[in-house]
Amino acid sequence: MTTDREFQSTLLENAVTELSRLPGIGRKTALRLALHMLRADEREAVGLGEALIAMRRNIRYCSVCHNISETDVCPICSDTRRDNATVCVVESVKDVMSFENTGQFQGLYHVLGGVISPMDGIGPDKLEIASLVERVAAGGISEVILALSATMEGETTNYYIFRLLSRFPDLKITQLARGVSVGNEIEYTDEVTLGRSLLNRTLFTDSFKK
Amino acid sequence: MTTDREFQSTLLENAVTELSRLPGIGRKTALRLALHMLRADEREAVGLGEALIAMRRNIRYCSVCHNISETDVCPICSDTRRDNATVCVVESVKDVMSFENTGQFQGLYHVLGGVISPMDGIGPDKLEIASLVERVAAGGISEVILALSATMEGETTNYYIFRLLSRFPDLKITQLARGVSVGNEIEYTDEVTLGRSLLNRTLFTDSFKK
């Protein structure tokens, strides 16, 4: 039991309680963070507090791709220089950041919000799958890239979406290449990956084109 | 370099920047926390933000003991049931909490704000040592308990304060007992601690009084 006496201040206790709701932050860490903020410049704690409130109140999800956005349609979806015929299907907002950071993709995204995982109670209806099918049905999309994790759940979701989208005969459905990760040694690469990297081998000369 | 493009939202980027100022929280963890808050209920992020602002704006330091307080004099210093003739000198606000949690101390505290540590540029003038001497000089205090860490810096600070307070002939200056920690095995207790625990041995029957 945490008593008010332990913290000697309800304000400190509230801050600790709120901080410890964050994932991976226990009560001890929360107390350490709160005491740090009390010692630091007032602008630091107030700045953090205001940034969190502003972020949570003003960021919403893009009505087209479900990525985070400060406007109804996100900057990626509304960028006319991008290729709006190619849609990359990803699990999360963070994955959009990762692909954007590669600088290799000029198409649009579709953020599912997770992958199908019956163990965690996540069925297809909890993900943005229906809206993806609608987007394709609306026309104008020639390729959908399935870019989910190479895990059991990711592969299941890839296959589920693949089946739903198969009814569009002109749609090209692709998935990310599976192979040896750059920087990894063959000795430590698992057999399934090695097998697929053999099957999907590419022309050596193609690597000079990058 | 972090570009706005990476986060696609200045609001998210601000929140990540502010979160990553916290000790032990890097940019990756900050992003994970921010994305968690975007997914969670709005009340969670807004509640955290408001709790941090309220805490930082309204908590100050007790003008007597320098512990955190929501009032000019903290609840401990203003509690008339406590023994105001005994002052326990501690390093930090957190140490006050630890001693309060023992339920064994009814006196008052004096929070130094650290220990003397020339390596970290912390001299006696950066600590609340002068105010401790003033407090003793004002009269009414019969015992000062030095309760700093049993580290080199703690012992140095203990000794520094001891010398300053020696000029008050009627003042009793004590320090925390050094000995084998409760639950520790003799085999794994260092020799200095063992030596001091022998020198400062107590009557076996005294342990029944607790």
Side-chain angles (χ1 to χ4, degrees), chain A residues 43-189:
Chain A
R43 276 168 303 178
E44 189 175 316
V46 173
L48 170 58
E50 286 172 350
L52 294 179
I53 295 170
M55 172 190 81
R56 191 60 186 84
R57 286 214 172 122
N58 298 306
I59 290 186
R60 40 186 156 165
Y61 293 92
C62 171
S63 60
V64 178
C65 73
H66 309 286
N67 187 16
I68 53 165
S69 177
E70 294 174 24
T71 44
D72 181 48
V73 175
C74 77
I76 295 179
C77 286
S78 47
D79 186 343
T80 51
R81 289 162 305 175
R82 296 187 73 123
D83 165 21
N84 61 13
T86 310
V87 171
C88 181
V89 178
V90 295
E91 270 173 64
S92 69
V93 171
K94 218 170 161 181
D95 293 348
V96 173
M97 293 180 194
S98 300
F99 282 108
E100 284 298 285
N101 285 339
T102 67
Q104 303 276 322
F105 185 63
Q106 291 303 318
L108 308 183
Y109 295 94
H110 192 88
V111 182
L112 289 185
V115 284
I116 298 171
S117 175
M119 295 281 283
D120 303 313
I122 303 174
D125 52 308
K126 293 210 174 159
L127 305 172
E128 292 293 346
I129 293 179
S131 61
L132 172 66
V133 177
E134 275 170 40
R135 225 176 136 184
V136 173
I141 295 173
S142 59
E143 178 177 358
V144 165
I145 304 170
L146 299 173
L148 307 180
S149 294
T151 57
M152 172 99 89
E153 290 82 5
E155 302 278 20
T156 305
T157 313
N158 272 343
Y159 186 68
Y160 183 89
I161 296 174
F162 169 76
R163 271 198 344 195
L164 283 177
L165 295 182
S166 300
R167 67 179 167 100
F168 300 101
D170 299 329
L171 184 70
K172 188 172 160 192
I173 306 172
T174 57
Q175 70 171 339
L176 294 184
R178 307 291 190 217
V180 183
S181 292
V182 177
N184 275 18
E185 293 176 50
I186 298 296
E187 189 179 344
Y188 302 111
T189 303

Side-chain angles (χ1 to χ4, degrees), chain A residues 8-9 37 40 56 67 70, chain B residues 8-9 37 40 56 67 70:
Chain A
Q8 293 143 53
S9 156
M37 280 184 258
R56 191 60 186 84
N67 187 16
E70 294 174 24
Chain B
Q8 292 142 52
S9 157
M37 280 184 259
R56 190 59 186 83
N67 187 16
E70 294 174 24

